[in-house]
Amino acid sequence: MGGVECLVKEDSSKIDYLARVEGAGETIQISADSKEKLEDVKTLLKGLQFKVADAGKKDGPWYWNGTPYASAEHSAEVGPVTLNSKHVPIDPIIVQSVIGGNRIWSDGARAYILSNACKLAEYNLDGGKLVKRADIELDAQSNYQTMTVTDDGAVWLGGVGSGSCRIKDGAVEKIKGPRELVMHPSGTWGLERYGRKGADMKKYEIAADGTVATVDFPLAEVDYMVNAYLRIDANHIYISGREAGSKETALFVYDHGGKLEKILKEPAKNSMGGVYFAGETANGFVALPLQSVVILWDKEGNPIGRLNDVKKLYDSPTTGVAGNEDGILLPGGGLLTLTRRERADKSTYELVVFRVDGF
């Protein structure tokens, strides 16, 4: 069609054309849907002429023929702090097809990774490598965006389209009510990140049998929290959003009763954009934001600094973005970051884990 050789898929009311012109670096896709006039549509499409000149470009290999991502150890300065990073290979690799819906948890010996919003697996963290121990079956149509692992070993998942569930001892139990649920480590209550204002926040108290009681839990200082980051650890609630009258994203730190403790802001009044992880270290607080690689604050919430150059910490060979997806602080120190990285041969994007120390 139009001078380009296409793959064609057709049924009684729909036809699809797909072509890849490698030398031009262009992909062509056409879909037509008509029950009554499909033949007329096909005749019309035959009049197309695609202007795709061969510029000598070459596509990368298919991902199964490509070279898995690898990175050397790196160090980077964030103010007076030196951060050291090391690639933690995942075996087998995880090819990333979805941005969002990628989460990690680890206690230093084992780990869970939610990938592409619908795949969950347990791993052993041994010798600086994540080795898959078992897959945990989920509905292939799932679209989970949050994951919490509570002290009793249960894995909690949540998503707007999929709702919330609790996975314990191989059994998957649906939780009625909350959708993008984030749990307290005790597994007895949680919050939902889905909403517009902190004043509308609800607390979900969840009994052992899955019964849910909903109570108001306003976080009034968060004026705007669409697509907010939300996490609850043993000491704090972390939520990203904006103060009233502000266009800058900040991190709000609350106690478990909903009392504001700190507002963590970007150095030099920059906007951190989205937030993919926040937590408390021995020396202060850390965040993995959208607009930079990492931001550090001291215990009082004063900015220590931010790192913008992704190559100093992650060694990204072909892209200049951090690609942060999630993170988890390890009990013995150090931070595992889950990132999106493009291979050097451009054959695919992988989910890649780094261990970052020095906080």
Side-chain angles (χ1 to χ4, degrees), residues 77-95:
E77 305 294 328
V78 182
V81 178
T82 300
L83 299 181
N84 301 299
S85 71
K86 184 177 182 180
H87 178 208
V88 181
I90 303 173
D91 183 17
I93 63 167
I94 301 175
V95 173

PDB file of all heavy atoms in Angstrom, residues 77-95:
ATOM      1  N   GLU A  77      28.322  12.754  43.817  1.00  0.00           N
ATOM      2  CA  GLU A  77      28.241  13.669  44.950  1.00  0.00           C
ATOM      3  C   GLU A  77      26.905  14.396  44.950  1.00  0.00           C
ATOM      4  O   GLU A  77      26.479  14.947  43.924  1.00  0.00           O
ATOM      5  CB  GLU A  77      29.376  14.700  44.877  1.00  0.00           C
ATOM      6  CG  GLU A  77      30.772  14.107  44.791  1.00  0.00           C
ATOM      7  CD  GLU A  77      31.175  13.354  46.047  1.00  0.00           C
ATOM      8  OE1 GLU A  77      30.718  13.766  47.141  1.00  0.00           O
ATOM      9  OE2 GLU A  77      31.932  12.377  45.946  1.00  0.00           O
ATOM     10  N   VAL A  78      26.218  14.372  46.095  1.00  0.00           N
ATOM     11  CA  VAL A  78      25.002  15.156  46.288  1.00  0.00           C
ATOM     12  C   VAL A  78      25.266  16.043  47.500  1.00  0.00           C
ATOM     13  O   VAL A  78      25.157  15.599  48.647  1.00  0.00           O
ATOM     14  CB  VAL A  78      23.770  14.264  46.515  1.00  0.00           C
ATOM     15  CG1 VAL A  78      22.512  15.127  46.655  1.00  0.00           C
ATOM     16  CG2 VAL A  78      23.607  13.281  45.362  1.00  0.00           C
ATOM     17  N   GLY A  79      25.649  17.299  47.239  1.00  0.00           N
ATOM     18  CA  GLY A  79      26.110  18.135  48.332  1.00  0.00           C
ATOM     19  C   GLY A  79      27.316  17.485  48.988  1.00  0.00           C
ATOM     20  O   GLY A  79      28.251  17.050  48.306  1.00  0.00           O
ATOM     21  N   PRO A  80      27.326  17.340  50.317  1.00  0.00           N
ATOM     22  CA  PRO A  80      28.455  16.715  51.003  1.00  0.00           C
ATOM     23  C   PRO A  80      28.371  15.186  51.037  1.00  0.00           C
ATOM     24  O   PRO A  80      29.254  14.536  51.597  1.00  0.00           O
ATOM     25  CB  PRO A  80      28.351  17.288  52.412  1.00  0.00           C
ATOM     26  CG  PRO A  80      26.880  17.499  52.613  1.00  0.00           C
ATOM     27  CD  PRO A  80      26.341  17.895  51.272  1.00  0.00           C
ATOM     28  N   VAL A  81      27.333  14.626  50.463  1.00  0.00           N
ATOM     29  CA  VAL A  81      27.084  13.180  50.540  1.00  0.00           C
ATOM     30  C   VAL A  81      27.601  12.497  49.282  1.00  0.00           C
ATOM     31  O   VAL A  81      27.367  12.957  48.162  1.00  0.00           O
ATOM     32  CB  VAL A  81      25.580  12.889  50.717  1.00  0.00           C
ATOM     33  CG1 VAL A  81      25.317  11.388  50.758  1.00  0.00           C
ATOM     34  CG2 VAL A  81      25.057  13.556  51.975  1.00  0.00           C
ATOM     35  N   THR A  82      28.306  11.374  49.470  1.00  0.00           N
ATOM     36  CA  THR A  82      28.755  10.551  48.346  1.00  0.00           C
ATOM     37  C   THR A  82      27.879   9.321  48.244  1.00  0.00           C
ATOM     38  O   THR A  82      27.779   8.525  49.193  1.00  0.00           O
ATOM     39  CB  THR A  82      30.223  10.115  48.522  1.00  0.00           C
ATOM     40  OG1 THR A  82      31.058  11.268  48.609  1.00  0.00           O
ATOM     41  CG2 THR A  82      30.674   9.253  47.351  1.00  0.00           C
ATOM     42  N   LEU A  83      27.212   9.164  47.103  1.00  0.00           N
ATOM     43  CA  LEU A  83      26.371   8.000  46.853  1.00  0.00           C
ATOM     44  C   LEU A  83      27.117   7.031  45.947  1.00  0.00           C
ATOM     45  O   LEU A  83      27.750   7.443  44.969  1.00  0.00           O
ATOM     46  CB  LEU A  83      25.053   8.409  46.200  1.00  0.00           C
ATOM     47  CG  LEU A  83      24.148   9.350  47.001  1.00  0.00           C
ATOM     48  CD1 LEU A  83      22.870   9.640  46.232  1.00  0.00           C
ATOM     49  CD2 LEU A  83      23.829   8.766  48.373  1.00  0.00           C
ATOM     50  N   ASN A  84      27.045   5.753  46.283  1.00  0.00           N
ATOM     51  CA  ASN A  84      27.676   4.700  45.493  1.00  0.00           C
ATOM     52  C   ASN A  84      26.592   3.760  44.984  1.00  0.00           C
ATOM     53  O   ASN A  84      25.725   3.326  45.745  1.00  0.00           O
ATOM     54  CB  ASN A  84      28.684   3.918  46.336  1.00  0.00           C
ATOM     55  CG  ASN A  84      29.772   4.815  46.900  1.00  0.00           C
ATOM     56  OD1 ASN A  84      30.519   5.435  46.159  1.00  0.00           O
ATOM     57  ND2 ASN A  84      29.840   4.905  48.227  1.00  0.00           N
ATOM     58  N   SER A  85      26.637   3.448  43.680  1.00  0.00           N
ATOM     59  CA  SER A  85      25.614   2.587  43.097  1.00  0.00           C
ATOM     60  C   SER A  85      26.232   1.359  42.452  1.00  0.00           C
ATOM     61  O   SER A  85      27.358   1.388  41.946  1.00  0.00           O
ATOM     62  CB  SER A  85      24.789   3.347  42.058  1.00  0.00           C
ATOM     63  OG  SER A  85      25.556   3.595  40.896  1.00  0.00           O
ATOM     64  N   LYS A  86      25.463   0.285  42.474  1.00  0.00           N
ATOM     65  CA  LYS A  86      25.884  -0.972  41.863  1.00  0.00           C
ATOM     66  C   LYS A  86      24.673  -1.637  41.236  1.00  0.00           C
ATOM     67  O   LYS A  86      23.615  -1.745  41.859  1.00  0.00           O
ATOM     68  CB  LYS A  86      26.504  -1.897  42.918  1.00  0.00           C
ATOM     69  CG  LYS A  86      27.062  -3.195  42.362  1.00  0.00           C
ATOM     70  CD  LYS A  86      27.730  -4.024  43.450  1.00  0.00           C
ATOM     71  CE  LYS A  86      28.329  -5.306  42.882  1.00  0.00           C
ATOM     72  NZ  LYS A  86      28.984  -6.112  43.942  1.00  0.00           N
ATOM     73  N   HIS A  87      24.821  -2.076  39.994  1.00  0.00           N
ATOM     74  CA  HIS A  87      23.760  -2.769  39.284  1.00  0.00           C
ATOM     75  C   HIS A  87      23.465  -4.109  39.960  1.00  0.00           C
ATOM     76  O   HIS A  87      24.380  -4.871  40.276  1.00  0.00           O
ATOM     77  CB  HIS A  87      24.203  -2.991  37.821  1.00  0.00           C
ATOM     78  CG  HIS A  87      23.237  -3.739  36.984  1.00  0.00           C
ATOM     79  ND1 HIS A  87      23.613  -4.510  35.917  1.00  0.00           N
ATOM     80  CD2 HIS A  87      21.877  -3.853  37.055  1.00  0.00           C
ATOM     81  CE1 HIS A  87      22.555  -5.059  35.362  1.00  0.00           C
ATOM     82  NE2 HIS A  87      21.495  -4.672  36.035  1.00  0.00           N
ATOM     83  N   VAL A  88      22.176  -4.388  40.189  1.00  0.00           N
ATOM     84  CA  VAL A  88      21.730  -5.664  40.763  1.00  0.00           C
ATOM     85  C   VAL A  88      20.967  -6.409  39.672  1.00  0.00           C
ATOM     86  O   VAL A  88      19.785  -6.121  39.430  1.00  0.00           O
ATOM     87  CB  VAL A  88      20.832  -5.443  41.997  1.00  0.00           C
ATOM     88  CG1 VAL A  88      20.401  -6.784  42.584  1.00  0.00           C
ATOM     89  CG2 VAL A  88      21.556  -4.611  43.048  1.00  0.00           C
ATOM     90  N   PRO A  89      21.599  -7.338  38.964  1.00  0.00           N
ATOM     91  CA  PRO A  89      20.921  -8.012  37.854  1.00  0.00           C
ATOM     92  C   PRO A  89      19.682  -8.783  38.313  1.00  0.00           C
ATOM     93  O   PRO A  89      19.646  -9.340  39.417  1.00  0.00           O
ATOM     94  CB  PRO A  89      21.991  -8.967  37.318  1.00  0.00           C
ATOM     95  CG  PRO A  89      23.290  -8.396  37.778  1.00  0.00           C
ATOM     96  CD  PRO A  89      23.011  -7.773  39.106  1.00  0.00           C
ATOM     97  N   ILE A  90      18.660  -8.798  37.457  1.00  0.00           N
ATOM     98  CA  ILE A  90      17.446  -9.580  37.683  1.00  0.00           C
ATOM     99  C   ILE A  90      17.518 -10.802  36.779  1.00  0.00           C
ATOM    100  O   ILE A  90      17.742 -10.692  35.573  1.00  0.00           O
ATOM    101  CB  ILE A  90      16.182  -8.768  37.360  1.00  0.00           C
ATOM    102  CG1 ILE A  90      16.139  -7.477  38.181  1.00  0.00           C
ATOM    103  CG2 ILE A  90      14.929  -9.591  37.607  1.00  0.00           C
ATOM    104  CD1 ILE A  90      15.007  -6.540  37.783  1.00  0.00           C
ATOM    105  N   ASP A  91      17.313 -11.983  37.345  1.00  0.00           N
ATOM    106  CA  ASP A  91      17.378 -13.238  36.605  1.00  0.00           C
ATOM    107  C   ASP A  91      16.057 -13.999  36.752  1.00  0.00           C
ATOM    108  O   ASP A  91      15.730 -14.432  37.849  1.00  0.00           O
ATOM    109  CB  ASP A  91      18.543 -14.094  37.119  1.00  0.00           C
ATOM    110  CG  ASP A  91      18.709 -15.382  36.331  1.00  0.00           C
ATOM    111  OD1 ASP A  91      18.156 -15.485  35.215  1.00  0.00           O
ATOM    112  OD2 ASP A  91      19.386 -16.297  36.846  1.00  0.00           O
ATOM    113  N   PRO A  92      15.295 -14.141  35.652  1.00  0.00           N
ATOM    114  CA  PRO A  92      15.545 -13.655  34.304  1.00  0.00           C
ATOM    115  C   PRO A  92      15.216 -12.169  34.180  1.00  0.00           C
ATOM    116  O   PRO A  92      14.529 -11.604  35.035  1.00  0.00           O
ATOM    117  CB  PRO A  92      14.598 -14.496  33.440  1.00  0.00           C
ATOM    118  CG  PRO A  92      13.457 -14.814  34.355  1.00  0.00           C
ATOM    119  CD  PRO A  92      14.062 -14.981  35.717  1.00  0.00           C
ATOM    120  N   ILE A  93      15.714 -11.546  33.106  1.00  0.00           N
ATOM    121  CA  ILE A  93      15.467 -10.127  32.891  1.00  0.00           C
ATOM    122  C   ILE A  93      13.970  -9.870  32.748  1.00  0.00           C
ATOM    123  O   ILE A  93      13.191 -10.768  32.419  1.00  0.00           O
ATOM    124  CB  ILE A  93      16.206  -9.615  31.646  1.00  0.00           C
ATOM    125  CG1 ILE A  93      15.687 -10.331  30.382  1.00  0.00           C
ATOM    126  CG2 ILE A  93      17.710  -9.760  31.784  1.00  0.00           C
ATOM    127  CD1 ILE A  93      16.126  -9.696  29.095  1.00  0.00           C
ATOM    128  N   ILE A  94      13.570  -8.623  33.005  1.00  0.00           N
ATOM    129  CA  ILE A  94      12.171  -8.216  32.831  1.00  0.00           C
ATOM    130  C   ILE A  94      12.127  -7.162  31.742  1.00  0.00           C
ATOM    131  O   ILE A  94      12.674  -6.068  31.900  1.00  0.00           O
ATOM    132  CB  ILE A  94      11.576  -7.648  34.128  1.00  0.00           C
ATOM    133  CG1 ILE A  94      11.654  -8.690  35.256  1.00  0.00           C
ATOM    134  CG2 ILE A  94      10.125  -7.217  33.903  1.00  0.00           C
ATOM    135  CD1 ILE A  94      11.188  -8.159  36.611  1.00  0.00           C
ATOM    136  N   VAL A  95      11.510  -7.496  30.628  1.00  0.00           N
ATOM    137  CA  VAL A  95      11.322  -6.533  29.549  1.00  0.00           C
ATOM    138  C   VAL A  95      10.155  -5.632  29.923  1.00  0.00           C
ATOM    139  O   VAL A  95       9.075  -6.110  30.284  1.00  0.00           O
ATOM    140  CB  VAL A  95      11.059  -7.248  28.214  1.00  0.00           C
ATOM    141  CG1 VAL A  95      10.688  -6.244  27.122  1.00  0.00           C
ATOM    142  CG2 VAL A  95      12.288  -8.049  27.801  1.00  0.00           C
TER     143      VAL A  95
END
